[in-house]
Amino acid sequence: MRCRSLFYLQVITICFLLPALSYAQMLGTIEVVEAKEGSQMPFVVANPDISVLIVRSEVPGLSFRSTRGVLRVDEPSSGVYHVLLEPGTNVLTFSAPGYQSISGYRIVMPKKDAVTVDIKVLVAGLGGRGAIKIETNPPGATVTFNSVELQNSTPIILSDQPAGMHRFHFELEGYSPIDTSLMNERDKEDHFTFEMQRAYSTLDVKSTPTGAKVIFDGTVMGTTPILLGKLPIGEAQLVLELKDHEPHVQLIYLEPNKTRIVDAYLPIEKGAVDVRAEPIGAKIYLDKELIATAETEPSVIPAIPVGKHDIEVRAAGYEPRIKTVEVLAKDTSYVTFLLTSFPGTLIIASSPTGADVWLDGRKTAAKTPGRLDDIEPGEHQIELYLDGYRTIRKNVKVNAGDATRINETFNERVDLQVSVKSREEISEPVENDKTQNLKQMRVSYPPKKNKVLPRLSVGFNVGNFTNNLIDDSLYMNNTSGTMIGIDTEAKLFSITPLINIYLSPQLYLFTSELMPAETGFFGEPISSINLTQIFINVGGRISANLGIFRVWAGTGITGSSAIISQDVDTEQITGNGSYTEVGVARKLFQYFEVNVNYLEERVDGEHDTRDGNFDIGGRTILVGVRISGF
């Protein structure tokens, strides 16, 4: 057979394993030899779709695999194999019992009439054994020998090993691993020392948002973004912290000579707001976004990012309110809204014009046509008075923030709509369309029958009263105690629509425990003295209305009785005098107000058994509530 191509010498070194019970021995090396014409090439291929690979091996029992498939294997003589393959590129694997396979040998097989290939598979290290001593600096590295992990760490001696090439792998925590191949000689001990290079890792830390504090294994390293170098190998804890954001905690493993990238998202921490709002049905807005409706129970708004937020409450007919609250992480903030209704307006007209306007029993300064502003929403009574006509009374509803219009016509005339103030008669008759020769009388306006009854109110007060009782032989001066009482107001008349005069009867009870001035024979204190005192005041008040506030001043006469008791003994002091007071009240609802007033009692008393005058007056500041409209 003619030689059409030449194959040049190639030697491929392959690592091997030693035999069983020690180590599997490597199969050896592959040597490709030029096949010259006339050499032992007894196999001639008649089929153009078959090529022949001639393999010579010193290892018995050799077997073959190919990526294109092996068609047949003949062994004409010991150690010689004829392997039938498909023409083209084949990737071969050589195997034998007790040996590590040789794989990945690539060869292009020619078609018919092409020269076959003569391959030698040689066994390395035949004919001797030796020992291998391995050391590392530092010691303690794990050893993998020919793909088998050994139980002992460095330093280590491997005795009675086949001479030849061996593969080693060394690992030590904190150091870079080493992969190497060593050749040992037969009949001797080969000594090898390896310097382990310390391994480091790099950590690239980023966060959204940036500026988070970076804590690596408990040590603050800086803020994101940050690149941390020369970090120890192994497991570590990474913590990222940023104000008002949830922390990021991660357990990471750093590999030798590699860069680990951590890109963390830090969500904003959240809290809640408890909103209590009136009236029911009001709309609740968070940062201008509608989120809830006021109910009888508080509205809790959850999952709000920490920081300052605007809470607004709106309701039809009420002035909107807005408050800024600060939401804290994992906490609930509380806010309360009590909306105030818009005032309404009354626009009043009449025909004929010029009628006086009364609102809820009180004369106003308006005349028709006119208007009344700042009217509290709700039901009100309007009365129109015009001389010569019957009074018009009308109940109207005033809506918040709205104008209510009234247009009334005086249709019913009356001859005289008067209340008699004086019975003085005059001689000249008065004529009109219905009655003649009626004697004219002096009249007052408005008519008596249309006057509003006096309004009665009741107040309940409490305060700390300082008594002036002085008796150096028995009592201490300026004794204080609790005063409670009730006072009433009965409206007498109005000076102007805003200034009124009231009759004000009052009843107060004062109790105190006095300290005696004297002591017993041995200096011990005499038992305490109890004082009970009643004040009855009758006087008047002048009161001025200032919007939702009212101020007054009053004076009158007072009568008082003081009962002093010590153990079973009782004494009494009675007297009379005068009182003065000033006060201020704030209207909360239509018939309800709270007040604060200063009261001073000036009373000269007489003892039932002792001679002389006793000052049993005093002064106090009282707080209380008042109910009106009776």
Side-chain angles (χ1 to χ4, degrees), residues 363-377:
K363 184 180 179 181
T364 70
K367 288 182 178 291
T368 60
R371 61 184 289 158
L372 300 177
D373 295 316
D374 297 328
I375 305 300
E376 183 178 343

Side-chain angles (χ1 to χ4, degrees), residues 154-208:
T154 59
I156 188 173
I157 297 177
L158 303 176
S159 303
D160 193 25
Q161 302 300 322
M165 189 69 67
H166 302 274
R167 173 173 290 180
F168 288 87
H169 177 80
F170 305 100
E171 287 188 5
L172 182 61
E173 185 175 0
Y175 293 83
S176 300
I178 296 177
D179 280 294
T180 187
S181 294
L182 303 175
M183 177 73 74
N184 71 313
E185 300 180 17
R186 63 185 180 182
D187 301 329
K188 64 179 295 189
E189 180 180 280
D190 291 300
H191 185 196
F192 301 94
T193 301
F194 296 91
E195 290 289 336
M196 304 293 292
Q197 299 297 319
R198 180 170 289 278
Y200 294 99
S201 183
T202 302
L203 182 60
D204 187 1
V205 186
K206 306 173 184 177
S207 71
T208 304

Side-chain angles (χ1 to χ4, degrees), residues 268-575:
I268 297 178
E269 290 187 313
K270 295 179 173 60
V273 175
D274 183 309
V275 181
R276 303 163 188 256
E278 291 184 9
I280 303 303
K283 304 299 182 183
I284 302 173
Y285 295 81
L286 173 66
D287 296 331
K288 299 183 179 181
E289 181 180 351
L290 178 63
I291 54 172
T293 300
E295 305 291 346
T296 54
E297 297 295 328
S299 301
V300 179
I301 308 170
I304 302 177
V306 297
K308 293 184 177 180
H309 297 269
D310 290 334
I311 304 292
E312 184 178 9
V313 177
R314 305 177 194 166
Y318 291 82
E319 295 184 13
R321 293 287 304 279
I322 185 169
K323 294 182 180 180
T324 299
V325 297
E326 185 168 3
V327 177
L328 304 178
K330 301 176 182 178
D331 197 3
T332 300
S333 301
Y334 295 87
V335 61
T336 300
F337 292 86
L338 180 60
L339 299 189
T340 303
S341 59
F342 284 116
T345 300
L346 280 173
I347 300 177
I348 308 167
S350 70
S351 179
T353 61
D356 290 325
V357 180
W358 287 59
L359 175 67
D360 294 331
R362 296 185 179 184
K363 184 180 179 181
T364 70
K367 288 182 178 291
T368 60
R371 61 184 289 158
L372 300 177
D373 295 316
D374 297 328
I375 305 300
E376 183 178 343
E379 294 286 343
H380 295 273
Q381 186 185 64
I382 294 294
E383 296 173 279
L384 302 181
Y385 295 94
L386 184 62
D387 190 20
Y389 293 88
R390 189 172 299 278
T391 300
I392 296 176
R393 293 182 178 86
K394 186 177 183 66
N395 291 327
V396 296
K397 183 179 180 180
V398 177
N399 296 319
D402 198 3
T404 302
R405 296 180 180 273
I406 301 173
N407 193 349
E408 297 293 329
T409 301
F410 289 93
N411 293 319
E412 187 176 355
R413 293 183 63 88
V414 294
D415 295 323
L416 287 175
Q417 189 175 4
V418 300
S419 62
V420 177
K421 185 174 183 181
S422 173
R423 295 184 179 274
E424 178 184 356
E425 298 182 356
I426 59 178
S427 59
E428 296 182 0
V430 178
E431 295 184 359
N432 55 45
D433 58 347
K434 291 186 178 181
T435 305
Q436 294 182 354
N437 300 323
L438 183 65
K439 293 183 178 181
Q440 185 177 7
M441 295 175 291
R442 184 175 297 174
V443 299
S444 64
Y445 185 82
K448 181 178 179 180
K449 68 175 183 178
N450 293 327
K451 282 188 176 180
V452 179
L453 293 176
R455 190 182 67 176
L456 179 67
S457 65
V458 180
F460 303 92
N461 302 308
V462 63
N464 187 68
F465 186 77
T466 300
N467 191 281
N468 295 333
L469 184 61
I470 300 175
D471 185 347
D472 292 336
S473 63
L474 183 62
Y475 309 121
M476 294 293 291
N477 187 19
N478 294 333
T479 303
S480 298
T482 302
M483 172 178 274
I484 60 174
I486 181 170
D487 75 85
T488 59
E489 285 183 349
K491 181 178 176 182
L492 298 178
F493 58 90
S494 297
I495 299 177
T496 71
L498 299 180
I499 300 178
N500 302 282
I501 302 298
Y502 292 90
L503 177 66
S504 179
Q506 303 171 8
L507 174 64
Y508 287 102
L509 173 66
F510 166 64
T511 60
S512 177
E513 185 178 21
L514 289 81
M515 296 303 297
E518 297 179 350
T519 59
F521 182 77
F522 295 101
E524 74 279 5
I526 301 175
S527 59
S528 61
I529 302 169
N530 296 318
L531 171 63
T532 303
Q533 189 170 1
I534 296 176
F535 294 92
I536 299 177
N537 302 333
V538 179
R541 286 178 178 173
I542 180 170
S543 174
N545 294 326
L546 305 175
I548 62 173
F549 290 95
R550 184 169 68 92
V551 296
W552 72 84
T555 186
I557 61 174
T558 183
S560 179
S561 175
I563 299 175
I564 305 167
S565 59
Q566 181 180 21
D567 296 332
V568 296
D569 297 329
T570 301
E571 301 176 6
Q572 184 174 7
I573 304 175
T574 58

Side-chain angles (χ1 to χ4, degrees), residues 35-56:
K36 297 181 180 180
E37 187 174 359
S39 61
Q40 294 183 356
M41 307 294 291
F43 204 96
V44 178
V45 179
N47 189 337
D49 294 327
I50 295 178
S51 294
V52 177
L53 177 66
I54 298 177
V55 179
R56 291 179 294 161

